[in-house]
Amino acid sequence: QKEVEQDPGPLSVPEGAIVSLNCTYSNSAFQYFMWYRQYSRKGPELLMYTYSSGNKEDGRFTAQVDKSSKYISLFIRDSQPSDSATYLCAMSYGQNFVFGPGTRLSVLP
Amino acid sequence: GAVVSQHPSWVICKSGTSVKIECRSLDFQATTMFWYRQFPKQSLMLMATSNEGSKATYEQGVEKDKFLINHASLTLSTLTVTSAHPEDSSFYICSARDPLGVSYEQYFGPGTRLTVT
């Protein structure tokens, strides 16, 4: 079993749709949970982070963590074509930092 | 936020030659930098962790004699791909941690696309 699993997609949605991206993990030691966005041929940029179970909202983005189920999600409301990118979940504890494989998202105008 | 740069952004080299990629933290001192490789439509694969003033720690399966990492200063780490072959063609990305920032956060460079012909 991989330490972090994520559906690779591709995921295509119409503009304005609500997008749900998910990751599961197996190591209960993970303390910090992050979502990165990576445009084609660019480095990843940090979108959101959280360290506790529950929801965290930032504009159109909501990060959700359920530590009991070892499950994290990123919701994007009112999706825009500019949201088209690969979204990678990541989690860490101490010096250990693990990325999920990423989900490719396309928002169609 | 903190800025990490990479140079070059794109390089083409002939098989058998060596290529050096630079990673710089522009507005903070990074005691730890990371080197990743990413193949098309795949996730980031950590190659090694570079600590200033000491030897890099390589991940399992990464040849340390082929991928030479030097972290000679708090703002610069270099990755040298020695005797490059076409299978080394990939997107190489570095990241850095700001020791004065939060422990979880990594700042990524824009990446270097290496094509070996």
Side-chain angles (χ1 to χ4, degrees), chain A residues 74-94:
Chain A
L74 177 71
F75 298 97
I76 307 174
R77 290 185 299 280
D78 188 25
S79 55
Q80 302 295 310
S82 58
D83 295 327
S84 298
T86 296
Y87 290 80
L88 303 109
C89 63
M91 39 202 83
S92 72
Y93 68 96

Side-chain angles (χ1 to χ4, degrees), chain A residues 32 34 36 38 40-46 49 51 86 88 92 94-97 99-102 104, chain B residues 10 32 34 36 38 41-44 46 49 91 93 97 102-111 113:
Chain A
Y32 296 102
M34 292 139 282
Y36 285 82
Q38 185 179 22
S40 181
R41 302 190 179 190
K42 301 289 184 183
E45 56 176 325
L46 180 65
Y49 74 91
Y51 54 85
T86 296
L88 303 109
S92 72
Q95 296 296 313
N96 297 285
F97 199 101
F99 279 95
R104 286 191 296 127
Chain B
W10 191 16
T32 303
F34 305 88
Y36 294 85
Q38 187 177 35
K41 299 183 180 180
Q42 295 188 26
S43 188
L44 300 168
L46 180 64
T49 301
F91 193 51
I93 306 174
R97 273 183 173 162
V102 290
S103 62
Y104 59 82
E105 193 161 10
Q106 291 188 30
Y107 300 98
F108 285 86
R113 183 162 301 281

Side-chain angles (χ1 to χ4, degrees), chain B residues 56-71:
Chain B
T57 303
Y58 290 83
E59 295 298 302
Q60 192 173 10
V62 178
E63 299 175 61
K64 60 181 180 181
D65 294 331
K66 180 170 184 62
F67 299 99
L68 301 179
I69 292 172
N70 184 283
H71 193 158

Side-chain angles (χ1 to χ4, degrees), chain A residues 31-33 49-53 56 65 67, chain B residues 104:
Chain A
Q31 295 178 310
Y32 296 102
F33 304 89
Y49 74 91
T50 185
Y51 54 85
S52 59
S53 284
K56 181 176 181 180
V65 173
K67 288 188 175 181
Chain B
Y104 59 82

